[in-house]
Amino acid sequence: MKICLIKPPVLHKGVSFARYATPPLGLAYIAAALKKSGNEVYVIDASATGINSVEKYKDNIYLFGLNKNDISDLIHADTEVICFSFMFTNNWLYDRELVSYIKEKHPNSVLIAGGEHATAAPQYCMEQAPLDFIVLGEGESAVVELCNSLKENNSFSEVPGIVYRNNEGINYSKGKKRIKDIEKIPWPAWELFPIEEYFENEMTYGVHRGRTLPIMATRGCPYDCTFCSSPLMWGRKYQMRSPKDFVDEIEHLYNTYKVDNFDLYDLTAIIVKSWIVEMCNEIIKRDLKITYQLPSGTRAEAIDFEVADLLYKSGCKNITYAPESGSDKVLKEVKKKVKTKKMLESIKYSNQAGLNIKLNMIMGFPDDTHKDIWISFWFLIKSTWYGANDAAPAIFSPYPGSELFDRLIEEGKLNLKNDDFLYSIIDSYDVVPKKVYSNNISAFSIRAYIFIFLILFYGSNYLFRPNRFFTTIYNVLKNKQESKIEQLIHVNLIKPIVLFFNRSNLYHNK
């Protein structure tokens, strides 16, 4: 079959010179699976292809990338199946418009959606957009089976893990299943994507350290944090590729595309110490001249000095821990099985090994109190003493598919079918979003706490290690990025100035 895969444009609050999209790893896996099964596959990556396209969507919300008309024009007339990647709820306002427009312009094509948002709210997505199918969860085998059924006119009800529409309404097939042997999944088909646009525009999830692509060593997460949609998307089955297979892919990307930096998109990359030790040694043995990062957040239990030292020697330069809170009470409430003492010990080892350390923290959980926030602040100060370089404060935002989202629905505090919720999700990416869901702390107080967070963390960081302040200034002036704060300064201050003068010179020359 002739199949088109679409990565939609991105909605974001405000106009900026920043690039908000990153290479779509999930869609690249789907493309590879469909291609391997004999289909003719092509990709429309609206973010990368429309890298310089920005238009106003509504109020202070802007669309970054190709719009629906541009996308429709790129779809071949003989395309039989069109697949959409719907990863994030904050994009649904435009995603549903895109689906309706494509259905109108290409009525004979079958429309399929997948991704975390589609998996978390399939009934809602089917009701709001004229989709024919949704593939739930891990999609490589299910989408291939579905396309085979379409080609052979077989029953859709036998394809596991899909939602489909017929004359009787919206139907669910039998339960979804995880892929048993993940090493049989073909590597992402990056040859179908405009990856040079991502390289040239420094569009990465982690710190920009060169030509970067995302990669995954593991799938799933064995934990069940209440604020995360992973349990619904993946279940709790945790699977690790063999270190050899993982490093084979790294070497392939290094040789084929000259990729020299890798962002690990794993939900929880480091759980088993023996696996990470073997993986590091495999990279060292091959003498690969690469760097890699763990920007998504990982756990601390397996990272002692031996592991941290091996990570650094094998090319890992940036690591993100995800304590989320410094309060043991909050950690217990959100089922985040983290021991703060163990986390601080692991931070110390990572710092001694030379890793650049970032912390992910969340404030404003429904049951947070002022005391919990100040306990987290004390944890932050201790973390800088032990060596943490960066910290990213976030205000809690409910993700569809998470336990806390369902709780807030039951309590009547949000309504997925109300577009105000969708606008609040877009707003949540702001440093100081308007909507909060805390029962004990006002929105004003939480916004104030964000600034206190930053002052305490970076103030203590530079107080305990003054050399870091001068290193940050030096790296910014040299256009070099080693930490997240340097990346933020580059993207939000230096780069806009450079682009402004470049555009001014271009206009003057014309």
Side-chain angles (χ1 to χ4, degrees):
M1 303 185 78
K2 189 165 188 177
I3 302 173
C4 173
L5 304 184
I6 296 177
K7 180 185 184 297
V10 178
L11 285 180
H12 206 279
K13 189 176 177 182
V15 177
S16 169
F17 288 93
R19 309 304 190 188
Y20 294 112
T22 55
L25 180 60
L27 200 62
Y29 267 115
I30 296 297
L34 289 169
K35 184 179 175 183
K36 184 180 179 181
S37 63
N39 296 289
E40 181 184 349
V41 182
Y42 68 101
V43 172
I44 300 173
D45 187 334
S47 297
T49 304
I51 191 69
N52 294 313
S53 300
V54 182
E55 62 182 64
K56 189 169 185 178
Y57 177 71
K58 185 176 181 181
D59 298 328
N60 195 32
I61 298 172
Y62 289 80
L63 186 75
F64 292 78
L66 301 178
N67 62 32
K68 57 191 178 186
N69 184 64
D70 298 328
I71 293 170
S72 178
D73 289 345
L74 293 174
I75 297 174
H76 304 170
D78 58 346
T79 300
E80 298 164 272
V81 175
I82 300 172
C83 298
F84 301 88
S85 174
F86 295 150
M87 289 298 296
F88 304 111
T89 302
N90 60 292
N91 238 44
W92 180 245
L93 283 167
Y94 195 80
D95 289 343
R96 66 190 184 190
E97 290 184 18
L98 175 62
V99 173
S100 297
Y101 189 80
I102 297 301
K103 191 67 173 179
E104 177 187 343
K105 297 296 182 180
H106 304 271
N108 296 323
S109 297
V110 175
L111 306 190
I112 303 173
E116 293 231 5
H117 173 71
T119 296
Q123 184 83 18
Y124 165 70
C125 290
M126 295 287 276
E127 289 173 354
Q128 292 210 340
L131 293 162
D132 297 299
F133 299 92
I134 288 177
V135 174
L136 303 173
E138 190 176 32
E140 289 89 350
S141 63
V143 75
V144 169
E145 287 187 49
L146 174 56
C147 287
N148 287 341
S149 295
L150 288 169
K151 183 178 180 180
E152 298 166 8
N153 291 318
N154 292 335
S155 171
F156 308 126
S157 61
E158 297 304 310
V159 179
I162 67 165
V163 183
Y164 60 97
R165 192 191 306 274
N166 60 20
N167 294 333
E168 299 174 359
I170 298 170
N171 304 274
Y172 291 73
S173 71
K174 57 186 180 182
K176 61 184 179 183
K177 61 181 181 181
R178 290 286 303 279
I179 298 171
K180 292 181 179 180
D181 188 351
I182 60 174
E183 290 190 17
K184 290 185 177 178
I185 302 171
W187 293 343
W190 293 118
E191 69 275 9
L192 301 178
F193 291 78
I195 56 174
E196 288 296 331
E197 294 290 348
Y198 289 104
F199 297 153
E200 292 173 10
N201 290 279
E202 303 178 5
M203 297 167 72
T204 67
Y205 183 30
V207 173
H208 177 68
R209 287 182 174 271
R211 292 168 65 89
T212 304
L213 279 179
I215 193 168
M216 287 180 71
T218 65
R219 286 195 171 201
C221 178
Y223 301 97
D224 52 2
C225 303
T226 62
F227 55 87
C228 183
S229 60
S230 169
L232 182 63
M233 177 73 184
W234 296 97
R236 294 184 63 188
K237 186 178 181 181
Y238 182 70
Q239 296 173 287
M240 299 176 291
R241 299 165 63 179
S242 71
K244 180 184 180 303
D245 181 65
F246 174 62
V247 179
D248 281 347
E249 184 182 353
I250 288 178
E251 190 167 21
H252 162 72
L253 294 172
Y254 176 78
N255 292 329
T256 306
Y257 302 108
K258 296 180 174 59
V259 177
D260 53 9
N261 181 65
F262 297 87
D263 286 344
L264 271 67
Y265 275 20
D266 301 60
L267 293 166
T268 311
I270 301 177
I271 294 180
V272 180
K273 178 178 177 178
S274 59
W275 186 93
I276 198 70
V277 167
E278 187 179 347
M279 185 273 286
C280 292
N281 284 328
E282 187 72 24
I283 294 175
I284 293 169
K285 182 178 70 176
R286 302 191 196 192
D287 194 28
L288 295 173
K289 306 301 181 184
I290 63 162
T291 58
Y292 64 97
Q293 306 174 50
L294 284 76
S296 299
T298 193
R299 301 186 65 85
E301 291 83 353
I303 306 177
D304 53 19
F305 182 75
E306 178 192 1
V307 170
D309 191 48
L310 273 173
L311 284 167
Y312 186 83
K313 288 177 179 176
S314 62
C316 183
K317 302 305 178 190
N318 295 74
I319 186 170
T320 302
Y321 289 99
E324 316 302 359
S325 175
S327 167
D328 291 333
K329 177 182 79 71
V330 172
L331 293 173
K332 184 177 180 180
E333 288 169 348
V334 300
K335 300 181 183 178
K336 181 79 179 185
K337 297 177 181 178
V338 165
K339 302 295 183 184
T340 53
K341 183 178 179 180
K342 180 66 178 178
M343 179 74 71
L344 291 170
E345 185 180 65
S346 184
I347 289 170
K348 178 183 70 175
Y349 293 138
S350 292
N351 176 61
Q352 289 172 350
L355 294 167
N356 190 288
I357 304 156
K358 173 175 168 280
L359 304 180
N360 286 342
M361 303 288 286
I362 300 175
M363 291 187 288
F365 286 115
D367 298 318
D368 268 6
T369 64
H370 291 279
K371 181 180 178 180
D372 294 321
I373 299 294
W374 285 100
I375 290 173
S376 289
F377 286 164
W378 178 237
F379 171 82
L380 284 172
I381 293 171
K382 288 190 287 186
S383 73
T384 62
W385 176 258
Y386 282 106
N389 302 76
D390 283 305
I395 294 178
F396 167 74
S397 184
Y399 292 156
S402 68
E403 185 177 324
L404 278 177
F405 179 87
D406 293 339
R407 169 186 156 180
L408 292 169
I409 288 282
E410 291 175 5
E411 293 175 353
K413 294 180 179 177
L414 61 81
N415 181 357
L416 184 59
K417 296 182 180 181
N418 186 330
D419 283 357
D420 288 343
F421 169 69
L422 297 176
Y423 285 107
S424 74
I425 289 287
I426 298 173
D427 187 60
S428 72
Y429 284 75
D430 236 3
V431 177
V432 284
K434 298 182 183 69
K435 179 68 176 177
V436 300
Y437 294 89
S438 174
N439 296 320
N440 306 304
I441 310 174
S442 69
F444 175 83
S445 295
I446 289 180
R447 289 195 289 269
Y449 279 142
I450 287 287
F451 292 101
I452 296 172
F453 177 112
L454 294 170
I455 291 168
L456 285 176
F457 180 86
Y458 285 102
S460 61
N461 187 15
Y462 293 138
L463 176 65
F464 297 147
R465 292 174 175 80
N467 61 304
R468 285 187 176 176
F469 177 78
F470 297 105
T471 299
T472 297
I473 299 299
Y474 176 82
N475 287 343
V476 168
L477 293 175
K478 289 291 186 179
N479 191 26
K480 182 180 179 183
Q481 297 176 31
E482 293 180 338
S483 66
K484 202 66 179 177
I485 189 68
E486 291 163 5
Q487 183 188 44
L488 290 173
I489 293 172
H490 173 76
V491 169
N492 295 295
L493 181 61
I494 305 300
K495 195 171 183 179
I497 293 172
V498 172
L499 287 173
F500 174 79
F501 280 108
N502 286 344
R503 290 180 181 180
S504 297
N505 291 336
L506 181 64
Y507 178 78
H508 178 73
N509 291 336
K510 285 182 178 179

